[in-house]
Amino acid sequence: ILPLLTCIFVFAAQIEVIPCKICGDKSSGVHYGVITCEGCKGFFRRSQQSSVSYSCSRQKNCQIDRTSRNRCQHCRLQKCVALGMSRDAVKFGRMSKRQRDSLFAEVEKHKQQQKQQQHQHSPGEAEALFPKEGKGKTEGIRNRYCPSQTRQPSPDQSGLDMKEIRLPSVVDFYISSPEQPNTMELEINKLTANIFKSHRETCQFRVEELQALQWKQFTREEVMVYQCKSIEEMWERCACRLTDAIQYVVEFAKRIDGFMEFCQNDQIVLLKAGSLEVVLVRMSRAFNQENNTVFFEGKYAGTEIFKSLGCMDLVTSMFDFAKSLCTLHLSEEEVALFTALVLINSGNNSWLQEKAKVERLHTHVDMAFKRILLRNRRDGLLSKLFQKMAVLKLLCAQHIEKLRAFRQLYPLIVHSLFPPLYKELFTCDTDLQTVIE
Ligand code: HC3
């Protein structure tokens, strides 16, 4: 029913087919936390010497790709940092043996699976996940800040192991003593650590880096350029940016212990219901509440930049949501657990096939989240965060509605230019059929 999402689970670990995140050249692995080519790896290493300082002779927004990457060192470095290359990682240099082994094991495993599944998936589906490069205007838009259509795996792939996850029962939890934590407590602590790690590895942009980039604002002229774009181009841009962000959320989900044990139908149902909600929670990390701007295509933008979309009410509601979440000052650990809860929160979703299994993980994530809030003496936040979950549902419903209206006016734009994953998540197949016919 959902071939592309299915493919993501099957082929996601094919690291060698993912181009360098910085310039789109052939990658050689994960370097300083990001999949890059040898050229960008060396460039980032050299940039860390204290004597080095770069400046941009243009407008600090140069496009970085394979052919232009040597033209502006300043913008190349900005992109490295924005995409998560870590200065600290320079000290440690290469990946640890354990990380490397687990990454290779994962790639091997998926190659085997790929062979087995060749009969089940058509070439068209695989191509949707690894599209061929260089087809006109769309590719340019899609590749500007995320050269690859696939997500960013991080060095440690251990969360992807298909090992049996054994979660104890809820009753165990309540018969512990503070001196001797019982199995349940240990498991909840383990789950908390796993979710936090998964978040750190897949959050797309580190929060410190987002904050350091807050000074980068669009100029009045740049805002006008966006405002003069056609409604179709602006929708397509936003769809591409949202799809980039969603691919990281898919990776986050996969690394949560227990998620990969769900049947494929339920994994997809949860991602369809929850991936945009997680992106909207993550939006608060990329939001500057001082001037109501959000990180978009390399700089901070206010609502006015989205004017040509023709749905300012939705954009304003999304900004308001991010702002109100900012006022709660969630720590990264709290964001991690809250987003995991948002994702697994579809216990009452009638599309689930193994409801009990999903509810069980939901209960454990819920416990983990409450424990963290209690430990941080912030349990007063709980009711506020539950209200936010309701707002998220409304925003996502509103987004579907706006997309439906846009598609009625521009069916072919959606059909031929929007990212396949975006269409799969937010349109229903029967509608799509009508448009194609
Ligand atoms: C600006 C944005 C919302 C925020 C999105 C963020 C910053 C969220 C956190 C992710 O880690 C990175 C990220 C990527 C894309 C950003 C979105 C692009 C467009 C969207 C606007 C609010 C416009 C939405 C318009 C709509 C719903 C019609 O597509």
Side-chain angles (χ1 to χ4, degrees), residues 204 235 238 241-242 245 279 283 294-295 306 309 314 318 399:
Q204 191 172 4
W235 260 89
C238 289
R241 297 289 77 81
L242 285 170
V279 170
M283 180 176 172
V294 72
F295 191 65
F306 301 104
L309 286 169
L314 172 57
M318 286 176 166
H399 167 243

Side-chain angles (χ1 to χ4, degrees), residues 349-364:
N349 189 323
S350 54
W351 293 91
L352 291 173
Q353 279 171 359
E354 297 173 342
K355 234 173 152 191
K357 218 171 173 182
V358 176
E359 260 166 21
R360 196 168 148 76
L361 181 58
H362 176 257
T363 310
H364 291 108

Side-chain angles (χ1 to χ4, degrees), residues 33-101:
V34 174
I35 295 177
T36 71
C37 63
E38 284 297 304
C40 290
K41 177 180 112 183
F43 166 76
F44 186 78
R45 191 185 55 242
R46 290 190 295 280
S47 74
Q48 299 306 298
Q49 292 158 10
S50 53
S51 54
V52 170
S53 141
Y54 302 133
S55 63
C56 174
S57 55
R58 289 171 216 99
Q59 286 168 312
K60 297 188 176 154
N61 62 353
C62 304
Q63 184 161 338
I64 304 297
D65 56 31
R66 199 166 64 84
T67 47
S68 68
R69 68 187 180 200
N70 291 325
R71 282 186 213 140
C72 181
Q73 293 170 312
H74 173 92
C75 293
R76 190 177 186 186
L77 181 58
Q78 284 294 327
K79 193 169 178 186
C80 290
V81 175
L83 288 178
M85 288 182 87
S86 156
R87 291 155 203 269
D88 290 341
V90 174
K91 292 184 203 131
F92 304 106
R94 308 172 62 201
M95 289 163 68
S96 73
K97 185 172 174 330
R98 201 186 123 259
Q99 288 170 329
R100 239 184 6 245
D101 287 349

Side-chain angles (χ1 to χ4, degrees), residues 23-34:
C23 71
D25 201 355
K26 185 165 176 13
S27 72
S28 61
V30 182
H31 307 296
Y32 306 118
V34 174

Side-chain angles (χ1 to χ4, degrees), residues 130-283:
F130 304 118
K132 293 196 177 104
E133 302 229 337
K135 282 188 222 133
K137 168 180 99 143
T138 350
E139 291 300 328
I141 294 174
R142 284 191 194 158
N143 291 345
R144 183 152 301 170
Y145 281 94
C146 189
S148 146
Q149 280 294 295
T150 51
R151 84 287 175 270
Q152 177 201 36
S154 72
D156 191 342
Q157 299 270 320
S158 53
L160 297 174
D161 288 350
M162 299 289 277
K163 61 181 181 285
E164 259 300 299
I165 305 293
R166 195 194 56 78
L167 287 167
S169 89
V170 184
V171 182
D172 292 342
F173 191 66
Y174 295 104
I175 51 169
S176 69
S177 70
E179 307 82 53
Q180 205 169 34
N182 64 17
T183 333
M184 184 67 179
E185 275 184 302
L186 293 174
E187 289 294 337
I188 294 295
N189 290 345
K190 202 168 133 220
L191 183 63
T192 306
N194 155 256
I195 291 174
F196 187 26
K197 180 169 181 279
S198 306
H199 168 77
R200 269 190 279 116
E201 290 170 349
T202 64
C203 59
Q204 191 172 4
F205 304 109
R206 305 213 172 123
V207 75
E208 316 81 57
E209 284 156 358
L210 285 166
Q211 280 162 9
L213 287 168
Q214 281 182 356
W215 61 272
K216 275 189 140 201
Q217 305 281 327
F218 284 104
T219 62
R220 208 180 287 230
E221 290 72 33
E222 286 169 335
V223 171
M224 276 172 65
V225 172
Y226 275 100
Q227 289 180 336
C228 290
K229 289 187 191 302
S230 65
I231 180 170
E232 305 97 287
E233 186 186 343
M234 202 56 194
W235 260 89
E236 189 202 341
R237 264 174 190 271
C238 289
C240 289
R241 297 289 77 81
L242 285 170
T243 308
D244 294 341
I246 284 167
Q247 282 171 334
Y248 287 88
V249 175
V250 172
E251 194 56 38
F252 172 60
K254 288 173 59 186
R255 290 172 192 222
I256 298 176
D257 282 346
F259 187 88
M260 293 299 276
E261 322 303 318
F262 297 156
C263 64
Q264 207 161 64
N265 172 81
D266 292 357
Q267 293 174 8
I268 289 166
V269 164
L270 293 177
L271 283 166
K272 277 199 102 171
S275 58
L276 183 60
E277 295 185 17
V278 172
V279 170
L280 290 173
V281 174
R282 287 181 170 193
M283 180 176 172

